[in-house]
Amino acid sequence: MEGKSYSVAVAGATGAVGQEMIKTLEQRRFPVGAIKLLASERSTGKELFFKGNPIKVEKLTKDSFKGMEIALFSAGAGRSLEFAPAAAASGAVVIDNSSAFRMEPDIPLIVPEVNPQAIAQYKKRGIIANPNCSTIQMVVALKPIHDVARIKRIVVSTYQAVSGTGLKAIDELLSQTRAILDAQAVQRKVYPHQIAFNCLPHIDAFLENGYTKEEMKMVHETQKIMEDPTIRVTATTVRVPVLHSHSESVNIETEKKITVKDVKEVLSRAPGVLVVDNPSLSEYPLAIHAAGRDETFVGRIREDESIPNGINMWIVSDNVRKGAALNAVQIAEILIEKYL
Ligand code: NAP
Ligand code: 3JN
């Protein structure tokens, strides 16, 4: 409704995603009437800023959401399981960044460029799930191709920035890098191995099938968001010593033949996508260029010459921004425009 403003709670406000959410609400001029910033007891009383005004962080409890209309959650899946139902029962619509509810059939899993119509299902439980960052950027680029050529199979390998693990992991990469350059011993707390000058084929916990949870999130979330359980997806997720933006090498096999020219044409019109693909000028998507940007960048688009209907591409996006905070705020924008 024009002129209306909304009370917004941010749970996990002191974290990498929470701070980006606050920044994104400001930058996109989301109509915030009142804002409540919530985190653990450790942060109680700490000051964060919204539109230049200091706001004291409060401890997240089940009573935090009285009078709140929208609750953005990024305090981990355990906190979402514990507090999101209470927030919804208080009347707030929850937009949850964790994996807690993503695969529940009566909770919509939303990427605004892909399946905005599914937001309507939020009325059942008062909760909308935000997908995993690696899934979001992949489906933003692939849905427009799926619509014209039907993707049968996806093979993806990710190169994920440490910011995906949170603020402590950013510190770990920087301090390990400094230690190595200063010929000092490397301290390790967040990752099971040194991350500086290294690649770890291990994100989230290993499962019995040999995949990690992060890999299986990409499989199941893609099928749910694309509303097509027949798409076959196999993923290898890798942590790399990059601060911001996840990169993905993606191979697709389509039912209908689609040429490289057509893929570029379709993606050049796709919402949220920017094609950067001039190999002769060494122009292709880069993590350092995507950092701080809203778009999902796609390049290195080429035919997979090993099969009849295959395409390879390189997809890069800011994981904390489009992969988490921006996607959540875009969902909130649709919510207030269409439903609240
Ligand atoms: P982070 O930088 O480590 O921040 C964690 C946040 O959670 C902090 O605000 C922290 O508060 C809060 N928190 C931790 N334990 C809490 C408790 N017991 N009660 C209340 N608040 C608590 O991590 P992050 O990168 O922002 O990620 C946070 C969560 O967002 C992740 O666990 C994940 O579920 C989700 N996430 C999703 C995506 C995605 O792909 N969509 C990407 C990254 C993260 P204190 O500062 O007080 O400790
Ligand atoms: O590692 C990354 O690059 C993305 C991390 C996402 C993440 C981190 C901790 C817990 C998630 C997620 O969004 O799936 C979770 C979780 O909620 O399970």
Side-chain angles (χ1 to χ4, degrees), residues 71-86:
L72 305 176
F73 267 72
S74 67
R79 263 67 59 198
S80 295
L81 285 170
E82 190 177 352
F83 298 105

Side-chain angles (χ1 to χ4, degrees), residues 11-18 38-44 46 60 73-77 79 83 97-99 102 130-134 136 163-168 319-320 323-324:
T14 51
V17 176
L38 305 163
S40 79
E41 210 164 7
R42 293 178 289 274
S43 303
T44 305
K46 189 176 166 184
L60 170 64
F73 267 72
S74 67
R79 263 67 59 198
F83 298 105
N97 253 287
S98 82
S99 58
R102 287 180 191 149
N130 201 75
N132 180 270
C133 40
S134 300
I136 292 177
S163 52
T165 317
L167 294 175
K168 287 187 181 135
N319 53 301
V320 175

Side-chain angles (χ1 to χ4, degrees), residues 203-222:
I203 299 183
D204 208 332
F206 279 100
L207 298 166
E208 270 189 8
N209 65 0
Y211 287 81
T212 63
K213 275 192 184 175
E214 183 83 351
E215 289 160 351
M216 295 315 294
K217 285 173 192 171
M218 292 193 78
V219 175
H220 298 130
E221 293 176 18
T222 299

